[in-house]
Amino acid sequence: MDSRLLKQLLVDVESGDVSVDEALDKLRWQPTEAISDFARLDHHRGLRQGMPEFVYAEGKTPEQVATIVASMVERTGKALASRISEA
């Protein structure tokens, strides 16, 4: 979640397009997520730090990177990775 998404959610609640209960459901998921034993994602980092979480891919398998990136995109709509190998 970043400030843009949070602001939009609040606007949607104010306009009546989203109920308070629906908004709570959207905010209920944990700000961190364990991905097996190889990663712990901080989905609220962008909201707290102004810089979103990114994947440090060095030392991870392509499958691990793909799993992490998929989770990030599912929660925030974007993902950033560094040190990706050609594999």
Side-chain angles (χ1 to χ4, degrees), residues 1-2 4-5 29 43 52-53 68-80:
M1 170 100 21
D2 62 21
R4 180 187 56 78
L5 291 173
W29 55 271
H43 294 294
E53 180 81 296
I68 296 167
V69 167
S71 179
M72 292 172 74
V73 169
E74 180 182 333
R75 297 284 190 184
T76 65
K78 55 190 165 195
L80 177 66

Side-chain angles (χ1 to χ4, degrees), residues 10-53:
L10 293 172
V11 167
D12 291 344
V13 169
E14 182 178 48
S15 71
D17 292 335
V18 173
S19 73
V20 171
D21 288 335
E22 289 171 317
L24 283 173
D25 283 340
K26 290 183 179 203
L27 295 171
R28 191 169 313 231
W29 55 271
Q30 296 296 317
T32 61
E33 174 187 6
I35 306 289
S36 190
D37 61 346
F38 56 84
R40 182 159 204 83
L41 301 180
D42 181 357
H43 294 294
H44 284 186
R45 186 176 189 276
L47 189 58
R48 286 191 329 275
Q49 303 291 328
M51 175 74 93
E53 180 81 296

